[in-house]
PDB file of all heavy atoms in Angstrom:
ATOM      1  N   SER N   1       0.852  -1.180   0.000  1.00 98.00           N
ATOM      2  CA  SER N   1       0.000   0.000   0.000  1.00 98.00           C
ATOM      3  C   SER N   1       0.893   1.238   0.000  1.00 98.00           C
ATOM      4  O   SER N   1       2.099   1.140   0.198  1.00 98.00           O
ATOM      5  CB  SER N   1      -0.932   0.009   1.215  1.00 98.00           C
ATOM      6  OG  SER N   1      -0.179   0.054   2.416  1.00 98.00           O
ATOM      7  N   ARG N   2       0.274   2.373  -0.221  1.00 97.00           N
ATOM      8  CA  ARG N   2       1.045   3.616  -0.217  1.00 97.00           C
ATOM      9  C   ARG N   2       0.186   4.762   0.279  1.00 97.00           C
ATOM     10  O   ARG N   2      -1.044   4.740   0.166  1.00 97.00           O
ATOM     11  CB  ARG N   2       1.602   3.921  -1.602  1.00 97.00           C
ATOM     12  CG  ARG N   2       0.554   4.238  -2.659  1.00 97.00           C
ATOM     13  CD  ARG N   2       1.175   4.261  -4.064  1.00 97.00           C
ATOM     14  NE  ARG N   2       2.136   5.338  -4.235  1.00 97.00           N
ATOM     15  CZ  ARG N   2       3.052   5.363  -5.205  1.00 97.00           C
ATOM     16  NH1 ARG N   2       3.130   4.352  -6.071  1.00 97.00           N
ATOM     17  NH2 ARG N   2       3.887   6.382  -5.313  1.00 97.00           N
ATOM     18  N   ASP N   3       0.848   5.766   0.799  1.00 97.00           N
ATOM     19  CA  ASP N   3       0.205   6.998   1.231  1.00 97.00           C
ATOM     20  C   ASP N   3       0.950   8.135   0.545  1.00 97.00           C
ATOM     21  O   ASP N   3       2.049   8.512   0.985  1.00 97.00           O
ATOM     22  CB  ASP N   3       0.274   7.117   2.753  1.00 97.00           C
ATOM     23  CG  ASP N   3      -0.477   8.327   3.288  1.00 97.00           C
ATOM     24  OD1 ASP N   3      -0.710   9.271   2.508  1.00 97.00           O
ATOM     25  OD2 ASP N   3      -0.819   8.333   4.468  1.00 97.00           O
ATOM     26  N   ASN N   4       0.390   8.647  -0.523  1.00 95.00           N
ATOM     27  CA  ASN N   4       1.086   9.671  -1.289  1.00 95.00           C
ATOM     28  C   ASN N   4       1.236  10.983  -0.518  1.00 95.00           C
ATOM     29  O   ASN N   4       2.157  11.748  -0.769  1.00 95.00           O
ATOM     30  CB  ASN N   4       0.377   9.913  -2.620  1.00 95.00           C
ATOM     31  CG  ASN N   4       0.601   8.774  -3.592  1.00 95.00           C
ATOM     32  OD1 ASN N   4       1.482   7.923  -3.404  1.00 95.00           O
ATOM     33  ND2 ASN N   4      -0.218   8.733  -4.638  1.00 95.00           N
ATOM     34  N   ALA N   5       0.344  11.233   0.424  1.00 95.00           N
ATOM     35  CA  ALA N   5       0.463  12.441   1.238  1.00 95.00           C
ATOM     36  C   ALA N   5       1.694  12.370   2.146  1.00 95.00           C
ATOM     37  O   ALA N   5       2.243  13.402   2.537  1.00 95.00           O
ATOM     38  CB  ALA N   5      -0.790  12.637   2.072  1.00 95.00           C
ATOM     39  N   LYS N   6       2.099  11.145   2.485  1.00 96.00           N
ATOM     40  CA  LYS N   6       3.263  10.951   3.347  1.00 96.00           C
ATOM     41  C   LYS N   6       4.497  10.484   2.581  1.00 96.00           C
ATOM     42  O   LYS N   6       5.535  10.200   3.179  1.00 96.00           O
ATOM     43  CB  LYS N   6       2.932   9.935   4.448  1.00 96.00           C
ATOM     44  CG  LYS N   6       1.846  10.389   5.399  1.00 96.00           C
ATOM     45  CD  LYS N   6       1.594   9.352   6.482  1.00 96.00           C
ATOM     46  CE  LYS N   6       0.529   9.835   7.458  1.00 96.00           C
ATOM     47  NZ  LYS N   6       0.263   8.819   8.521  1.00 96.00           N
ATOM     48  N   ASN N   7       4.375  10.382   1.264  1.00 97.00           N
ATOM     49  CA  ASN N   7       5.494   9.894   0.450  1.00 97.00           C
ATOM     50  C   ASN N   7       6.036   8.562   0.972  1.00 97.00           C
ATOM     51  O   ASN N   7       7.255   8.362   1.055  1.00 97.00           O
ATOM     52  CB  ASN N   7       6.632  10.920   0.393  1.00 97.00           C
ATOM     53  CG  ASN N   7       6.381  12.026  -0.608  1.00 97.00           C
ATOM     54  OD1 ASN N   7       5.263  12.212  -1.072  1.00 97.00           O
ATOM     55  ND2 ASN N   7       7.416  12.781  -0.938  1.00 97.00           N
ATOM     56  N   THR N   8       5.138   7.665   1.303  1.00 98.00           N
ATOM     57  CA  THR N   8       5.543   6.413   1.936  1.00 98.00           C
ATOM     58  C   THR N   8       4.808   5.229   1.309  1.00 98.00           C
ATOM     59  O   THR N   8       3.610   5.328   1.019  1.00 98.00           O
ATOM     60  CB  THR N   8       5.272   6.448   3.446  1.00 98.00           C
ATOM     61  OG1 THR N   8       5.983   7.555   4.029  1.00 98.00           O
ATOM     62  CG2 THR N   8       5.736   5.166   4.117  1.00 98.00           C
ATOM     63  N   VAL N   9       5.550   4.151   1.127  1.00 98.00           N
ATOM     64  CA  VAL N   9       4.966   2.903   0.678  1.00 98.00           C
ATOM     65  C   VAL N   9       5.190   1.864   1.777  1.00 98.00           C
ATOM     66  O   VAL N   9       6.185   1.915   2.492  1.00 98.00           O
ATOM     67  CB  VAL N   9       5.583   2.442  -0.661  1.00 98.00           C
ATOM     68  CG1 VAL N   9       7.073   2.173  -0.545  1.00 98.00           C
ATOM     69  CG2 VAL N   9       4.853   1.225  -1.220  1.00 98.00           C
ATOM     70  N   TYR N  10       4.235   0.965   1.915  1.00 98.00           N
ATOM     71  CA  TYR N  10       4.259  -0.016   2.986  1.00 98.00           C
ATOM     72  C   TYR N  10       4.199  -1.434   2.424  1.00 98.00           C
ATOM     73  O   TYR N  10       3.668  -1.667   1.340  1.00 98.00           O
ATOM     74  CB  TYR N  10       3.065   0.181   3.932  1.00 98.00           C
ATOM     75  CG  TYR N  10       2.951   1.574   4.492  1.00 98.00           C
ATOM     76  CD1 TYR N  10       2.098   2.507   3.912  1.00 98.00           C
ATOM     77  CD2 TYR N  10       3.695   1.964   5.602  1.00 98.00           C
ATOM     78  CE1 TYR N  10       1.985   3.797   4.425  1.00 98.00           C
ATOM     79  CE2 TYR N  10       3.591   3.249   6.125  1.00 98.00           C
ATOM     80  CZ  TYR N  10       2.734   4.149   5.528  1.00 98.00           C
ATOM     81  OH  TYR N  10       2.636   5.426   6.041  1.00 98.00           O
ATOM     82  N   LEU N  11       4.706  -2.357   3.200  1.00 98.00           N
ATOM     83  CA  LEU N  11       4.553  -3.769   2.889  1.00 98.00           C
ATOM     84  C   LEU N  11       4.154  -4.477   4.176  1.00 98.00           C
ATOM     85  O   LEU N  11       4.956  -4.577   5.110  1.00 98.00           O
ATOM     86  CB  LEU N  11       5.840  -4.367   2.327  1.00 98.00           C
ATOM     87  CG  LEU N  11       5.725  -5.816   1.855  1.00 98.00           C
ATOM     88  CD1 LEU N  11       4.842  -5.883   0.593  1.00 98.00           C
ATOM     89  CD2 LEU N  11       7.091  -6.425   1.574  1.00 98.00           C
ATOM     90  N   GLN N  12       2.901  -4.889   4.229  1.00 98.00           N
ATOM     91  CA  GLN N  12       2.405  -5.659   5.368  1.00 98.00           C
ATOM     92  C   GLN N  12       2.678  -7.127   5.111  1.00 98.00           C
ATOM     93  O   GLN N  12       2.263  -7.662   4.071  1.00 98.00           O
ATOM     94  CB  GLN N  12       0.908  -5.419   5.561  1.00 98.00           C
ATOM     95  CG  GLN N  12       0.301  -6.215   6.695  1.00 98.00           C
ATOM     96  CD  GLN N  12       0.759  -5.757   8.066  1.00 98.00           C
ATOM     97  OE1 GLN N  12       0.912  -4.556   8.311  1.00 98.00           O
ATOM     98  NE2 GLN N  12       0.993  -6.697   8.965  1.00 98.00           N
ATOM     99  N   ILE N  13       3.374  -7.755   6.037  1.00 98.00           N
ATOM    100  CA  ILE N  13       3.736  -9.158   5.881  1.00 98.00           C
ATOM    101  C   ILE N  13       3.101  -9.946   7.025  1.00 98.00           C
ATOM    102  O   ILE N  13       3.410  -9.691   8.194  1.00 98.00           O
ATOM    103  CB  ILE N  13       5.262  -9.373   5.901  1.00 98.00           C
ATOM    104  CG1 ILE N  13       5.958  -8.413   4.926  1.00 98.00           C
ATOM    105  CG2 ILE N  13       5.600 -10.804   5.564  1.00 98.00           C
ATOM    106  CD1 ILE N  13       7.472  -8.478   4.993  1.00 98.00           C
ATOM    107  N   ASN N  14       2.249 -10.870   6.695  1.00 97.00           N
ATOM    108  CA  ASN N  14       1.582 -11.704   7.691  1.00 97.00           C
ATOM    109  C   ASN N  14       2.035 -13.151   7.570  1.00 97.00           C
ATOM    110  O   ASN N  14       2.584 -13.558   6.555  1.00 97.00           O
ATOM    111  CB  ASN N  14       0.070 -11.623   7.518  1.00 97.00           C
ATOM    112  CG  ASN N  14      -0.463 -10.225   7.728  1.00 97.00           C
ATOM    113  OD1 ASN N  14       0.046  -9.457   8.549  1.00 97.00           O
ATOM    114  ND2 ASN N  14      -1.486  -9.864   6.969  1.00 97.00           N
ATOM    115  N   SER N  15       1.771 -13.918   8.621  1.00 97.00           N
ATOM    116  CA  SER N  15       2.099 -15.350   8.625  1.00 97.00           C
ATOM    117  C   SER N  15       3.529 -15.593   8.146  1.00 97.00           C
ATOM    118  O   SER N  15       3.775 -16.402   7.249  1.00 97.00           O
ATOM    119  CB  SER N  15       1.107 -16.114   7.737  1.00 97.00           C
ATOM    120  OG  SER N  15      -0.217 -15.909   8.174  1.00 97.00           O
ATOM    121  N   LEU N  16       4.458 -14.894   8.764  1.00 97.00           N
ATOM    122  CA  LEU N  16       5.853 -14.971   8.337  1.00 97.00           C
ATOM    123  C   LEU N  16       6.393 -16.395   8.437  1.00 97.00           C
ATOM    124  O   LEU N  16       6.053 -17.145   9.375  1.00 97.00           O
ATOM    125  CB  LEU N  16       6.707 -14.028   9.178  1.00 97.00           C
ATOM    126  CG  LEU N  16       6.710 -12.579   8.694  1.00 97.00           C
ATOM    127  CD1 LEU N  16       7.063 -11.626   9.814  1.00 97.00           C
ATOM    128  CD2 LEU N  16       7.681 -12.423   7.527  1.00 97.00           C
ATOM    129  N   LYS N  17       7.226 -16.743   7.469  1.00 96.00           N
ATOM    130  CA  LYS N  17       7.857 -18.044   7.408  1.00 96.00           C
ATOM    131  C   LYS N  17       9.380 -17.872   7.423  1.00 96.00           C
ATOM    132  O   LYS N  17       9.873 -16.823   6.984  1.00 96.00           O
ATOM    133  CB  LYS N  17       7.449 -18.769   6.117  1.00 96.00           C
ATOM    134  CG  LYS N  17       5.963 -18.929   5.927  1.00 96.00           C
ATOM    135  CD  LYS N  17       5.663 -19.552   4.570  1.00 96.00           C
ATOM    136  CE  LYS N  17       4.162 -19.703   4.359  1.00 96.00           C
ATOM    137  NZ  LYS N  17       3.859 -20.327   3.040  1.00 96.00           N
ATOM    138  N   PRO N  18      10.106 -18.869   7.887  1.00 96.00           N
ATOM    139  CA  PRO N  18      11.579 -18.745   7.860  1.00 96.00           C
ATOM    140  C   PRO N  18      12.122 -18.421   6.472  1.00 96.00           C
ATOM    141  O   PRO N  18      13.117 -17.692   6.359  1.00 96.00           O
ATOM    142  CB  PRO N  18      12.041 -20.117   8.347  1.00 96.00           C
ATOM    143  CG  PRO N  18      10.938 -20.583   9.241  1.00 96.00           C
ATOM    144  CD  PRO N  18       9.673 -20.086   8.590  1.00 96.00           C
ATOM    145  N   GLU N  19      11.469 -18.904   5.439  1.00 95.00           N
ATOM    146  CA  GLU N  19      11.944 -18.629   4.076  1.00 95.00           C
ATOM    147  C   GLU N  19      11.706 -17.183   3.641  1.00 95.00           C
ATOM    148  O   GLU N  19      12.161 -16.775   2.573  1.00 95.00           O
ATOM    149  CB  GLU N  19      11.312 -19.592   3.067  1.00 95.00           C
ATOM    150  CG  GLU N  19       9.815 -19.695   3.123  1.00 95.00           C
ATOM    151  CD  GLU N  19       9.340 -20.874   3.961  1.00 95.00           C
ATOM    152  OE1 GLU N  19       9.918 -21.109   5.056  1.00 95.00           O
ATOM    153  OE2 GLU N  19       8.394 -21.554   3.524  1.00 95.00           O
ATOM    154  N   ASP N  20      11.014 -16.406   4.467  1.00 97.00           N
ATOM    155  CA  ASP N  20      10.867 -14.973   4.184  1.00 97.00           C
ATOM    156  C   ASP N  20      12.098 -14.180   4.653  1.00 97.00           C
ATOM    157  O   ASP N  20      12.190 -12.974   4.392  1.00 97.00           O
ATOM    158  CB  ASP N  20       9.630 -14.406   4.880  1.00 97.00           C
ATOM    159  CG  ASP N  20       8.334 -14.961   4.319  1.00 97.00           C
ATOM    160  OD1 ASP N  20       8.239 -15.146   3.087  1.00 97.00           O
ATOM    161  OD2 ASP N  20       7.415 -15.216   5.128  1.00 97.00           O
ATOM    162  N   THR N  21      12.998 -14.841   5.342  1.00 97.00           N
ATOM    163  CA  THR N  21      14.205 -14.170   5.816  1.00 97.00           C
ATOM    164  C   THR N  21      15.005 -13.630   4.641  1.00 97.00           C
ATOM    165  O   THR N  21      15.367 -14.375   3.725  1.00 97.00           O
ATOM    166  CB  THR N  21      15.066 -15.138   6.640  1.00 97.00           C
ATOM    167  OG1 THR N  21      14.363 -15.503   7.827  1.00 97.00           O
ATOM    168  CG2 THR N  21      16.395 -14.503   7.021  1.00 97.00           C
ATOM    169  N   ALA N  22      15.266 -12.330   4.671  1.00 98.00           N
ATOM    170  CA  ALA N  22      15.964 -11.672   3.569  1.00 98.00           C
ATOM    171  C   ALA N  22      16.146 -10.197   3.913  1.00 98.00           C
ATOM    172  O   ALA N  22      15.547  -9.693   4.878  1.00 98.00           O
ATOM    173  CB  ALA N  22      15.176 -11.789   2.265  1.00 98.00           C
ATOM    174  N   VAL N  23      16.941  -9.530   3.111  1.00 98.00           N
ATOM    175  CA  VAL N  23      16.955  -8.070   3.130  1.00 98.00           C
ATOM    176  C   VAL N  23      15.876  -7.601   2.165  1.00 98.00           C
ATOM    177  O   VAL N  23      15.833  -8.045   1.008  1.00 98.00           O
ATOM    178  CB  VAL N  23      18.323  -7.508   2.731  1.00 98.00           C
ATOM    179  CG1 VAL N  23      18.283  -5.970   2.707  1.00 98.00           C
ATOM    180  CG2 VAL N  23      19.405  -8.003   3.683  1.00 98.00           C
ATOM    181  N   TYR N  24      15.017  -6.729   2.647  1.00 98.00           N
ATOM    182  CA  TYR N  24      13.919  -6.220   1.830  1.00 98.00           C
ATOM    183  C   TYR N  24      14.251  -4.812   1.363  1.00 98.00           C
ATOM    184  O   TYR N  24      14.620  -3.949   2.172  1.00 98.00           O
ATOM    185  CB  TYR N  24      12.617  -6.224   2.632  1.00 98.00           C
ATOM    186  CG  TYR N  24      12.029  -7.601   2.761  1.00 98.00           C
ATOM    187  CD1 TYR N  24      12.636  -8.565   3.567  1.00 98.00           C
ATOM    188  CD2 TYR N  24      10.882  -7.966   2.058  1.00 98.00           C
ATOM    189  CE1 TYR N  24      12.119  -9.848   3.666  1.00 98.00           C
ATOM    190  CE2 TYR N  24      10.349  -9.240   2.156  1.00 98.00           C
ATOM    191  CZ  TYR N  24      10.973 -10.174   2.960  1.00 98.00           C
ATOM    192  OH  TYR N  24      10.454 -11.444   3.057  1.00 98.00           O
ATOM    193  N   TYR N  25      14.109  -4.607   0.069  1.00 98.00           N
ATOM    194  CA  TYR N  25      14.429  -3.326  -0.553  1.00 98.00           C
ATOM    195  C   TYR N  25      13.191  -2.715  -1.190  1.00 98.00           C
ATOM    196  O   TYR N  25      12.388  -3.437  -1.786  1.00 98.00           O
ATOM    197  CB  TYR N  25      15.463  -3.502  -1.663  1.00 98.00           C
ATOM    198  CG  TYR N  25      16.798  -4.048  -1.226  1.00 98.00           C
ATOM    199  CD1 TYR N  25      17.038  -5.418  -1.207  1.00 98.00           C
ATOM    200  CD2 TYR N  25      17.832  -3.193  -0.846  1.00 98.00           C
ATOM    201  CE1 TYR N  25      18.273  -5.920  -0.824  1.00 98.00           C
ATOM    202  CE2 TYR N  25      19.066  -3.690  -0.459  1.00 98.00           C
ATOM    203  CZ  TYR N  25      19.270  -5.056  -0.447  1.00 98.00           C
ATOM    204  OH  TYR N  25      20.497  -5.549  -0.073  1.00 98.00           O
ATOM    205  N   CYS N  26      13.064  -1.414  -1.089  1.00 98.00           N
ATOM    206  CA  CYS N  26      12.059  -0.750  -1.904  1.00 98.00           C
ATOM    207  C   CYS N  26      12.747  -0.059  -3.081  1.00 98.00           C
ATOM    208  O   CYS N  26      13.937   0.272  -3.013  1.00 98.00           O
ATOM    209  CB  CYS N  26      11.209   0.217  -1.101  1.00 98.00           C
ATOM    210  SG  CYS N  26      12.015   1.737  -0.594  1.00 98.00           S
ATOM    211  N   ALA N  27      11.993   0.120  -4.123  1.00 98.00           N
ATOM    212  CA  ALA N  27      12.521   0.688  -5.351  1.00 98.00           C
ATOM    213  C   ALA N  27      11.468   1.580  -5.986  1.00 98.00           C
ATOM    214  O   ALA N  27      10.268   1.392  -5.767  1.00 98.00           O
ATOM    215  CB  ALA N  27      12.932  -0.424  -6.317  1.00 98.00           C
ATOM    216  N   ALA N  28      11.934   2.531  -6.792  1.00 97.00           N
ATOM    217  CA  ALA N  28      11.019   3.477  -7.440  1.00 97.00           C
ATOM    218  C   ALA N  28      11.384   3.653  -8.902  1.00 97.00           C
ATOM    219  O   ALA N  28      12.565   3.663  -9.273  1.00 97.00           O
ATOM    220  CB  ALA N  28      11.071   4.826  -6.723  1.00 97.00           C
ATOM    221  N   GLU N  29      10.348   3.790  -9.718  1.00 96.00           N
ATOM    222  CA  GLU N  29      10.545   4.046 -11.127  1.00 96.00           C
ATOM    223  C   GLU N  29       9.377   4.879 -11.633  1.00 96.00           C
ATOM    224  O   GLU N  29       8.210   4.577 -11.336  1.00 96.00           O
ATOM    225  CB  GLU N  29      10.649   2.742 -11.920  1.00 96.00           C
ATOM    226  CG  GLU N  29      10.820   2.923 -13.406  1.00 96.00           C
ATOM    227  CD  GLU N  29      12.120   3.643 -13.777  1.00 96.00           C
ATOM    228  OE1 GLU N  29      13.071   3.623 -12.974  1.00 96.00           O
ATOM    229  OE2 GLU N  29      12.180   4.230 -14.877  1.00 96.00           O
ATOM    230  N   SER N  30       9.690   5.911 -12.415  1.00 93.00           N
ATOM    231  CA  SER N  30       8.646   6.761 -12.977  1.00 93.00           C
ATOM    232  C   SER N  30       7.934   6.028 -14.106  1.00 93.00           C
ATOM    233  O   SER N  30       8.555   5.626 -15.083  1.00 93.00           O
ATOM    234  CB  SER N  30       9.264   8.057 -13.497  1.00 93.00           C
ATOM    235  OG  SER N  30       8.262   8.890 -14.027  1.00 93.00           O
ATOM    236  N   VAL N  31       6.631   5.843 -13.953  1.00 90.00           N
ATOM    237  CA  VAL N  31       5.820   5.123 -14.948  1.00 90.00           C
ATOM    238  C   VAL N  31       4.529   5.908 -15.157  1.00 90.00           C
ATOM    239  O   VAL N  31       3.877   6.297 -14.198  1.00 90.00           O
ATOM    240  CB  VAL N  31       5.491   3.694 -14.471  1.00 90.00           C
ATOM    241  CG1 VAL N  31       4.555   3.009 -15.465  1.00 90.00           C
ATOM    242  CG2 VAL N  31       6.767   2.890 -14.282  1.00 90.00           C
ATOM    243  N   LEU N  32       4.148   6.111 -16.418  1.00 82.00           N
ATOM    244  CA  LEU N  32       2.989   6.951 -16.707  1.00 82.00           C
ATOM    245  C   LEU N  32       1.674   6.295 -16.317  1.00 82.00           C
ATOM    246  O   LEU N  32       0.809   6.926 -15.705  1.00 82.00           O
ATOM    247  CB  LEU N  32       2.972   7.315 -18.185  1.00 82.00           C
ATOM    248  CG  LEU N  32       3.980   8.375 -18.642  1.00 82.00           C
ATOM    249  CD1 LEU N  32       3.849   8.610 -20.146  1.00 82.00           C
ATOM    250  CD2 LEU N  32       3.763   9.683 -17.888  1.00 82.00           C
ATOM    251  N   PHE N  33       1.504   5.020 -16.689  1.00 84.00           N
ATOM    252  CA  PHE N  33       0.205   4.381 -16.470  1.00 84.00           C
ATOM    253  C   PHE N  33       0.379   2.968 -15.935  1.00 84.00           C
ATOM    254  O   PHE N  33       1.147   2.178 -16.473  1.00 84.00           O
ATOM    255  CB  PHE N  33      -0.590   4.317 -17.775  1.00 84.00           C
ATOM    256  CG  PHE N  33      -0.862   5.639 -18.403  1.00 84.00           C
ATOM    257  CD1 PHE N  33      -0.228   6.007 -19.579  1.00 84.00           C
ATOM    258  CD2 PHE N  33      -1.749   6.535 -17.826  1.00 84.00           C
ATOM    259  CE1 PHE N  33      -0.463   7.235 -20.158  1.00 84.00           C
ATOM    260  CE2 PHE N  33      -1.994   7.767 -18.397  1.00 84.00           C
ATOM    261  CZ  PHE N  33      -1.349   8.125 -19.567  1.00 84.00           C
ATOM    262  N   GLY N  34      -0.357   2.650 -14.890  1.00 89.00           N
ATOM    263  CA  GLY N  34      -0.426   1.291 -14.400  1.00 89.00           C
ATOM    264  C   GLY N  34       0.910   0.721 -13.972  1.00 89.00           C
ATOM    265  O   GLY N  34       1.814   1.457 -13.547  1.00 89.00           O
ATOM    266  N   ILE N  35       1.006  -0.598 -14.045  1.00 92.00           N
ATOM    267  CA  ILE N  35       2.251  -1.306 -13.705  1.00 92.00           C
ATOM    268  C   ILE N  35       2.542  -2.298 -14.819  1.00 92.00           C
ATOM    269  O   ILE N  35       1.962  -3.397 -14.845  1.00 92.00           O
ATOM    270  CB  ILE N  35       2.143  -2.069 -12.372  1.00 92.00           C
ATOM    271  CG1 ILE N  35       1.608  -1.191 -11.257  1.00 92.00           C
ATOM    272  CG2 ILE N  35       3.513  -2.628 -11.985  1.00 92.00           C
ATOM    273  CD1 ILE N  35       1.388  -1.945  -9.966  1.00 92.00           C
ATOM    274  N   PRO N  36       3.425  -1.967 -15.726  1.00 90.00           N
ATOM    275  CA  PRO N  36       3.827  -2.951 -16.734  1.00 90.00           C
ATOM    276  C   PRO N  36       4.436  -4.182 -16.087  1.00 90.00           C
ATOM    277  O   PRO N  36       5.045  -4.088 -15.015  1.00 90.00           O
ATOM    278  CB  PRO N  36       4.877  -2.201 -17.562  1.00 90.00           C
ATOM    279  CG  PRO N  36       4.645  -0.750 -17.271  1.00 90.00           C
ATOM    280  CD  PRO N  36       4.116  -0.695 -15.876  1.00 90.00           C
ATOM    281  N   GLN N  37       4.264  -5.334 -16.697  1.00 92.00           N
ATOM    282  CA  GLN N  37       4.824  -6.574 -16.152  1.00 92.00           C
ATOM    283  C   GLN N  37       6.341  -6.494 -15.999  1.00 92.00           C
ATOM    284  O   GLN N  37       6.916  -7.154 -15.127  1.00 92.00           O
ATOM    285  CB  GLN N  37       4.447  -7.758 -17.049  1.00 92.00           C
ATOM    286  CG  GLN N  37       2.986  -8.160 -16.952  1.00 92.00           C
ATOM    287  CD  GLN N  37       2.641  -8.760 -15.601  1.00 92.00           C
ATOM    288  OE1 GLN N  37       3.381  -9.557 -15.030  1.00 92.00           O
ATOM    289  NE2 GLN N  37       1.490  -8.369 -15.071  1.00 92.00           N
ATOM    290  N   ARG N  38       6.965  -5.656 -16.799  1.00 94.00           N
ATOM    291  CA  ARG N  38       8.420  -5.533 -16.700  1.00 94.00           C
ATOM    292  C   ARG N  38       8.867  -4.971 -15.347  1.00 94.00           C
ATOM    293  O   ARG N  38      10.046  -5.071 -14.984  1.00 94.00           O
ATOM    294  CB  ARG N  38       8.967  -4.635 -17.811  1.00 94.00           C
ATOM    295  CG  ARG N  38       8.404  -3.206 -17.793  1.00 94.00           C
ATOM    296  CD  ARG N  38       8.972  -2.385 -18.949  1.00 94.00           C
ATOM    297  NE  ARG N  38       8.333  -1.079 -19.055  1.00 94.00           N
ATOM    298  CZ  ARG N  38       8.687  -0.020 -18.356  1.00 94.00           C
ATOM    299  NH1 ARG N  38       9.669  -0.097 -17.483  1.00 94.00           N
ATOM    300  NH2 ARG N  38       8.048   1.135 -18.521  1.00 94.00           N
ATOM    301  N   MET N  39       7.938  -4.405 -14.588  1.00 95.00           N
ATOM    302  CA  MET N  39       8.295  -3.849 -13.285  1.00 95.00           C
ATOM    303  C   MET N  39       8.557  -4.933 -12.248  1.00 95.00           C
ATOM    304  O   MET N  39       8.872  -4.627 -11.093  1.00 95.00           O
ATOM    305  CB  MET N  39       7.212  -2.900 -12.785  1.00 95.00           C
ATOM    306  CG  MET N  39       6.912  -1.720 -13.720  1.00 95.00           C
ATOM    307  SD  MET N  39       8.409  -0.883 -14.320  1.00 95.00           S
ATOM    308  CE  MET N  39       9.059  -0.222 -12.803  1.00 95.00           C
ATOM    309  N   LYS N  40       8.456  -6.192 -12.644  1.00 96.00           N
ATOM    310  CA  LYS N  40       8.866  -7.291 -11.775  1.00 96.00           C
ATOM    311  C   LYS N  40      10.375  -7.523 -11.860  1.00 96.00           C
ATOM    312  O   LYS N  40      10.921  -8.333 -11.112  1.00 96.00           O
ATOM    313  CB  LYS N  40       8.145  -8.580 -12.164  1.00 96.00           C
ATOM    314  CG  LYS N  40       6.644  -8.550 -11.899  1.00 96.00           C
ATOM    315  CD  LYS N  40       6.022  -9.887 -12.262  1.00 96.00           C
ATOM    316  CE  LYS N  40       4.539  -9.918 -11.916  1.00 96.00           C
ATOM    317  NZ  LYS N  40       3.924 -11.226 -12.254  1.00 96.00           N
ATOM    318  N   VAL N  41      11.023  -6.820 -12.752  1.00 96.00           N
ATOM    319  CA  VAL N  41      12.462  -7.007 -12.981  1.00 96.00           C
ATOM    320  C   VAL N  41      13.236  -5.907 -12.266  1.00 96.00           C
ATOM    321  O   VAL N  41      12.976  -4.718 -12.485  1.00 96.00           O
ATOM    322  CB  VAL N  41      12.767  -6.982 -14.490  1.00 96.00           C
ATOM    323  CG1 VAL N  41      14.267  -7.118 -14.717  1.00 96.00           C
ATOM    324  CG2 VAL N  41      11.988  -8.078 -15.189  1.00 96.00           C
ATOM    325  N   PRO N  42      14.202  -6.271 -11.413  1.00 97.00           N
ATOM    326  CA  PRO N  42      14.925  -5.235 -10.656  1.00 97.00           C
ATOM    327  C   PRO N  42      15.594  -4.183 -11.545  1.00 97.00           C
ATOM    328  O   PRO N  42      15.638  -3.006 -11.180  1.00 97.00           O
ATOM    329  CB  PRO N  42      15.965  -6.049  -9.884  1.00 97.00           C
ATOM    330  CG  PRO N  42      15.415  -7.420  -9.788  1.00 97.00           C
ATOM    331  CD  PRO N  42      14.608  -7.627 -11.032  1.00 97.00           C
ATOM    332  N   GLN N  43      16.070  -4.596 -12.700  1.00 97.00           N
ATOM    333  CA  GLN N  43      16.801  -3.673 -13.565  1.00 97.00           C
ATOM    334  C   GLN N  43      15.921  -2.558 -14.118  1.00 97.00           C
ATOM    335  O   GLN N  43      16.436  -1.579 -14.651  1.00 97.00           O
ATOM    336  CB  GLN N  43      17.459  -4.437 -14.721  1.00 97.00           C
ATOM    337  CG  GLN N  43      18.631  -5.305 -14.301  1.00 97.00           C
ATOM    338  CD  GLN N  43      18.211  -6.623 -13.671  1.00 97.00           C
ATOM    339  OE1 GLN N  43      17.024  -6.943 -13.554  1.00 97.00           O
ATOM    340  NE2 GLN N  43      19.203  -7.399 -13.260  1.00 97.00           N
TER     341      GLN N  43
END
């Protein structure tokens, strides 16, 4: 989720599993409309 008034994006994680252990990163990219499938790619 996100709150544009606060310039903040959130990730709520429930029912955590040991395999969720990781460093979590947020990323931003300027996109005009929607979310292209290519936005699943870190690059």
